[in-house]
């Protein structure tokens, strides 16, 4: 019995130790001081769209998140090695969208890494045969650079941007950027784990009348960078789906394997979208990505005023994210679709086993051991008694 008690105490001790370790890791994780500025340095509202600057200051470095609606919505991330770096905009040149260098992060020598993500096109196709194959029956794409975008709606370190195309019937396409002071997790599914080195973008299509009764959608993204552009997607699997039920993997758009520096960037997402604004498990729909391919940097610069303003000769890779598989409900079933991703610097966040999962594992593995030990405690005296009753001592 004493051995069984020790075993039970050991399992409990391991669980408490893991919980304390998880808590300490959370408390010791990096934190940043955030400041938000809309159209930095502009004397009046600029024509053609807004520029949001979120400055995330660490102990000895700064992350600059620049979210722009001049043309196709674009998120630019610049990491510097000083806590005093600033953003400078030449607004007369910036709004013309044809001047490289009209937006600078100074001192330029402090820049460690930069990358940008352009939300360039929304594509729709008629999935007549329910194969989820977008190669054929594509409608003319919605060019997001041609959308009429609202002004940014700010709420703390969060900004909402909504727009519509001239040929949209009702509805809108919205993007919401959220920056973070410390590590945490999203409140709604897919509940992505974030750090102070990342920002989250939620994209949703709401109320737009599809051009066919069996329409499905794709979102075209362009990753723009300098020396180490995002050029490949890694897929990592897990056995823990506690925070995103039924989803056991995460996808990461990262630089080439030859990149030696750890101070790079990433785009991370779970391969799932949702068909309701307040998602439940039955509203989840899988999503897939194409392989990133090199594309014209000039095309990305033409689509986005922010790319032209910051990069002289950008390296660009593009890919599509498609929503829904064969047999899944079509967009017309709810006329809503949302998808969430992270954009950050450094190593992508990694989900570890939560204390709940560890406790379940501990109970699952520890209980059989305790039962075996208890069985041994009762069986051993019984065997000793049987042996003493069968054999007589020899004089």
């Amino acid at each position: 019995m004493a051995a069984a008690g020790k075993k039970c105490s050991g399992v409990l001790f391991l669980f408490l130790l893991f919980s304390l370790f998880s808590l300490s890791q959370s408390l010791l994780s990096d934190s940043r001081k955030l400041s938000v500025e809309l159209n930095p340095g502009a004397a009046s509202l600029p024509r053609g769209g807004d520029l949001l600057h979120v400055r995330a200051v660490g102990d000895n470095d700064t992350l600059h998140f620049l979210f722009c609606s001049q043309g196709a919505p674009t998120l630019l991330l610049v990491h510097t090695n000083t806590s005093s770096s600033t953003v400078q905009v030449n607004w007369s040149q910036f709004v013309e969208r044809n001047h490289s260098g009209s937006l600078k992060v100074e001192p330029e020598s402090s820049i460690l890494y930069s990358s940008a993500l352009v939300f360039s096109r929304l594509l729709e196709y008629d999935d007549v045969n329910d194969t989820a194959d977008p190669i054929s029956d594509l409608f003319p794409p919605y060019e997001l650079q041609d959308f009429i975008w609202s002004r940014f709606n700010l709420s703390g370190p969060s900004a909402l941007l909504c727009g519509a195309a001239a040929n949209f019937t009702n509805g809108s396409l919205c993007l919401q950027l959220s920056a973070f002071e410390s590590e945490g997790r999203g409140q709604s599914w897919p509940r992505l784990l974030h750090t102070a080195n990342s920002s989250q973008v939620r994209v949703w299509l709401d109320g737009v009348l599809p051009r066919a009764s069996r329409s499905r959608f794709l979102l075209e993204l362009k990753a723009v960078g300098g020396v180490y552009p995002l050029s490949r997607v890694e897929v990592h699997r897990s056995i823990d789906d506690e925070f995103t039920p039924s989803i056991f993997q995460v996808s990461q758009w990262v630089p080439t394997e030859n990149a030696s520096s750890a101070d790079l960037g990433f785009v991370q997402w779970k391969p799932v979208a949702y068909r309701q604004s307040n998602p439940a498990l039955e509203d989840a729909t899988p999503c897939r990505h194409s392989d990133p391919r090199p594309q014209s940097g000039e095309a990305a610069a033409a689509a986005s005023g922010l790319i032209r303003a910051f990069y002289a000769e950008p390296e660009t890779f593009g890919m599509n994210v498609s929503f829904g598989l064969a047999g899944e409900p079509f967009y017309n079933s709810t006329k809503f679709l949302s998808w969430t991703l992270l954009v950050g610097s450094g190593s992508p966040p990694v989900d570890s086993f939560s204390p709940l999962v560890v406790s379940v594992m501990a109970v699952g593995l520890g209980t059989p051991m305790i039962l075996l030990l208890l069985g041994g405690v009762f069986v051993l005296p019984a065997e000793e008694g049987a042996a003493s009753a069968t054999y007589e001592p020899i004089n």
Side-chain angles (χ1 to χ4, degrees), residues 132-287:
D133 183 0
I135 294 177
S136 59
D137 299 315
L138 273 170
F139 293 108
Y142 294 110
E143 300 286 348
L144 300 193
Q145 65 186 9
D146 298 329
F147 272 39
I148 300 172
W149 295 104
S150 65
R151 292 292 177 177
F152 281 123
N153 184 356
L154 302 183
S155 177
S158 178
L160 174 64
L161 175 68
C162 291
N167 53 348
F168 262 17
T169 305
N170 299 323
S172 59
L173 175 69
C174 295
L175 300 92
Q176 185 171 32
L177 172 72
S178 301
F180 309 103
E181 292 184 333
S182 59
E183 183 178 300
R185 192 177 293 277
Q187 296 300 307
S188 60
W189 289 352
R191 300 204 62 195
L192 294 178
L193 176 66
H194 61 254
T195 68
N197 295 331
S198 62
S199 63
Q200 179 177 283
V201 181
R202 181 173 178 250
V203 186
W204 68 90
L205 190 65
D206 185 12
V208 176
L209 292 181
R211 288 176 278 188
S213 61
R214 295 190 164 211
S215 281
R216 298 193 192 277
F217 283 90
L218 303 89
L219 184 63
E220 181 185 85
L221 305 171
K222 295 181 186 291
V224 183
V227 180
Y228 298 118
L230 307 181
S231 58
R232 63 192 178 96
V233 174
E234 299 176 341
V235 177
H236 296 272
R237 302 186 183 278
S238 170
I239 63 171
D240 184 2
D241 72 337
E242 176 186 354
F243 297 105
T244 312
S246 78
I247 306 300
F248 295 91
Q249 63 185 46
V250 62
S251 301
Q252 298 174 172
W253 198 357
V254 293
T256 174
E257 292 178 307
N258 296 327
S260 57
S261 173
D263 183 37
L264 299 176
F266 64 86
V267 176
Q268 184 188 70
W269 67 92
K270 293 285 186 74
V272 62
Y274 295 95
R275 296 188 299 271
Q276 294 284 1
S277 57
N278 295 311
L281 182 58
E282 58 269 21
D283 302 318
T285 187
C287 60

